[in-house]
Amino acid sequence: MKTRTLRADERLPLYQRLREEIQARISSGEWKPDTPIPTEAELAREYGVAVGTVRKAVDTLVNDGLLQRNQGRGTFVRRPDFESSFLRFFRQTNAAGERTVPEGQVIERRIAVPPGYVSDALDLPPQAETIHLKRIRRIEGIPTLCEDIWLPYSRFQALAEIPLQSFGNLLYPFYEHECGQLIAAAKESLRVSCADRQTATALEITVGSPVVIIDRIAQGYDHTPLEYRRSRGGASTFHYQIDIS
């Protein structure tokens, strides 16, 4: 096996250079979510480093949530469960009272320069275009969330021509399949506001009704921001619970 060269800054510790190399191979799609990476011994031979160096690099990626060790099976590229975010915050139940994930429908798509706060969050240059999606999420036909989603056009241009009905209920696997863009992590912030006319119409509530707004910045495995999402839901469905021990 030909030994690979670590390309990261030589001033960095060896394990950190290896960490960035592993992360880059995940980000490129060479190692996909839910699949195992090579063993520590195999990576040590491939890069010509000690097994301890590999273990330290892998440990940092496990701690960051990019990798997951499965006892007896190996170390896998982790696919985060983003849907659990909304289940933490909203009482999303059907008529029988069962917790459920809402069905999503993209109702509008356009190519546009986003608001400044979105450009800043996505680290885009001025006037850079995005694909802007409007999406409604329903439970048994009742709208529970309305969403505005912005994606950098340079990375997601394949979505510009896809029929709206082809967008899946879960968007992140759809991004991966259609554009090769893998979402690895996200940061969310939450606030309470009042429904404007557009939000009230989408959620079938009264203008001025309280709504909860969740802003999400989703990142790739290399920490590149890939999506800005603003989700709004009626405050009457909002629920927050935390266990403290």
Side-chain angles (χ1 to χ4, degrees), residues 156-221:
F156 292 89
Q157 63 186 58
L159 301 184
E161 303 297 332
I162 293 175
L164 294 186
Q165 61 268 27
S166 296
F167 281 76
N169 187 42
L170 300 179
L171 290 182
Y172 291 169
F174 191 69
Y175 297 164
E176 181 181 342
H177 182 266
E178 299 295 335
C179 305
Q181 300 297 323
L182 308 177
I183 303 294
K187 297 179 180 179
E188 292 181 338
S189 61
L190 182 150
R191 59 191 171 91
V192 177
S193 185
C194 297
D196 57 20
R197 187 168 301 279
Q198 185 177 27
T199 300
T201 299
L203 294 178
E204 300 177 3
I205 59 178
T206 305
V207 173
S209 297
V211 293
V212 175
I213 301 174
I214 296 177
D215 288 321
R216 173 189 289 184
I217 302 172
Q219 302 173 328
Y221 283 91

Side-chain angles (χ1 to χ4, degrees), residues 38-67:
T39 66
E40 292 177 356
E42 289 170 338
L43 288 171
R45 289 195 298 271
E46 187 173 2
Y47 286 98
V49 298
V51 170
T53 300
V54 175
R55 184 168 299 123
K56 191 170 183 179
V58 170
D59 282 345
T60 63
L61 292 169
V62 170
N63 291 336
D64 287 347
L66 272 69
L67 296 177

Side-chain angles (χ1 to χ4, degrees), residues 10-24:
E10 292 184 359
R11 293 172 294 182
L12 296 174
L14 189 58
Y15 82 91
Q16 191 168 338
R17 293 168 60 194
L18 179 58
R19 177 196 189 283
E20 293 192 9
E21 180 72 16
I22 295 172
Q23 185 172 300

